[in-house]
Amino acid sequence: PSPRTGSGRAMVCRGGRCGVRFVAAALLCTRAAQLAVRPGGIDRRRALGAPAVLLGGGPKIASAASLSTARALSDSEFYVTYPYRTAGDVVPFLENCATRNDPDSVLAALELWADRYPMFQLGPAKGAILDEAVRTARPRKALEIGTFLGYSAVRIARALRNNDGALCCVEASPEFADVARRVLEYAGLGGGATVVVAKGADCADAVVEAFGGGDTHDAALDLVFLDHAKEAYAPDLQRLEARHLVRPGTVVVADNVVFPGAPGYLDYVAPPRYRTRLVAAPYEARGWETNWEPHDDAVAVSVRLAEDEVGEV
């Protein structure tokens, strides 16, 4: 997903460029209080207590929460019960609303979290495209650049279990990387995924260390998923190629190639280097703005060709 700015959201670093922390505590307190007085909202006294909940020690978590009960909460009830002050606040939400060692349950909970707190994750529509690419490639070694909180990493690692594959996730933000590790661990996938704090420009070194123990030959990749700084897609792919980590047959999946677009990327993955198909899908992120409009987007699924192969875009 691609970072966008909006009212009430603070910029932080993600994937070598600016990302979004999404919601400041002040916005949550104000929004919870406003929504509380609407029909179907929570009690006024509970709304007035929101600042203490949001700015106090830890999140106020319902003792008998489940995904179904969390989904039934009104917006105001959800914001007070599950405040989002830092990226790590998604973890107690998962612990209360998702089943441990169940990737499907974790994904469903993350999708609910993203619905209530507009944020950037691949989402179920594009996730199905990624799932199909992983099933087709049957990778033993996969790389993701731009992990954020781990949603797409869970999807990839879930599929890799079927063929004893391993995933290396590269995330520039130490905060986001720590959350992604915890999310993968809770989903029961921590053993098959390694989250490395590094920028996309350093992804080749991270892959060699994670998969090859310093040996480039043993670290060759079967699948790469690009979902970080869009202008870095082409140069970072070239860095992987230069280290012989991407070879003929490697599948490369890239998000947001239409909106907001990845400069120079589609030209680079055209023949004779790659055979590429574009799979249309709506842009997955939405903002808090009331005038937010959806955008058309696509996921590029490319296969690295040998020098004597011919492909079609």
Side-chain angles (χ1 to χ4, degrees):
S2 173
R4 289 179 62 87
T5 60
S7 59
R9 290 181 282 175
M11 301 302 293
V12 295
C13 179
R14 179 195 174 200
R17 67 183 293 185
C18 286
V20 182
R21 177 157 292 179
F22 309 113
V23 185
L27 173 64
L28 289 176
C29 295
T30 302
R31 186 172 178 84
Q34 291 174 339
L35 292 173
V37 300
R38 300 187 322 183
I42 60 176
D43 182 83
R44 179 183 295 272
R45 290 169 297 176
R46 186 176 181 186
L48 294 175
V53 174
L54 291 168
L55 302 178
K60 180 180 178 181
I61 303 299
S63 59
S66 68
L67 189 59
S68 59
T69 56
R71 186 176 284 117
L73 294 174
S74 68
D75 284 348
S76 53
E77 290 171 326
F78 192 95
Y79 297 145
V80 171
T81 307
Y82 301 109
Y84 190 10
R85 303 159 302 174
T86 68
D89 286 338
V90 73
V91 176
F93 170 74
L94 292 178
E95 291 172 344
N96 280 267
C97 297
T99 303
R100 182 180 291 275
N101 299 324
D102 183 346
D104 294 342
S105 175
V106 169
L107 290 171
L110 287 173
E111 288 162 7
L112 174 59
W113 183 265
D115 182 64
R116 295 303 182 97
Y117 290 112
M119 56 180 281
F120 305 114
Q121 68 174 19
L122 194 67
K126 289 183 174 179
I129 299 170
L130 178 61
D131 292 346
E132 178 61 26
V134 176
R135 283 194 297 268
T136 301
R138 296 185 57 81
R140 296 297 302 274
K141 296 184 179 71
L143 167 68
E144 175 185 66
I145 309 178
T147 301
F148 191 39
L149 304 186
Y151 176 87
S152 53
V154 170
R155 296 196 80 110
I156 297 171
R158 176 184 62 177
L160 290 177
R161 294 186 305 181
N162 298 328
N163 51 303
D164 297 323
L167 172 64
C168 175
C169 303
V170 174
E171 169 56 53
S173 164
E175 178 188 12
F176 296 160
D178 177 67
V179 174
R181 290 189 194 100
R182 295 161 69 187
V183 169
L184 285 161
E185 191 67 35
Y186 190 78
L189 302 169
T194 301
V195 182
V196 178
V197 178
K199 294 182 179 179
D202 302 319
C203 60
D205 291 336
V207 169
V208 171
E209 183 63 29
F211 288 144
D215 187 338
T216 301
H217 178 76
D218 292 336
L221 297 164
D222 304 302
L223 182 134
V224 177
F225 178 49
L226 303 175
D227 198 10
H228 59 310
K230 310 311 167 188
E231 68 275 9
Y233 279 16
D236 287 347
L237 181 57
Q238 292 168 1
R239 292 183 179 96
L240 293 171
E241 292 173 339
R243 297 285 291 274
H244 304 288
L245 297 170
V246 170
R247 301 177 177 182
T250 299
V251 175
V252 183
V253 183
D255 190 19
N256 303 127
V257 296
V258 171
F259 184 85
Y265 180 76
L266 291 179
D267 289 335
Y268 188 77
V269 294
R273 296 186 190 92
Y274 289 84
R275 180 178 64 251
T276 295
R277 62 187 179 95
L278 297 181
V279 185
Y283 181 59
E284 63 283 358
R286 63 181 178 86
W288 286 97
E289 300 88 345
T290 56
N291 62 346
W292 178 263
E293 296 181 359
H295 297 274
D296 293 330
D297 193 14
V299 176
V301 181
S302 307
V303 180
R304 185 69 166 96
L305 301 174
E307 292 183 359
D308 57 348
E309 289 186 85
V310 177
E312 297 181 355
V313 177

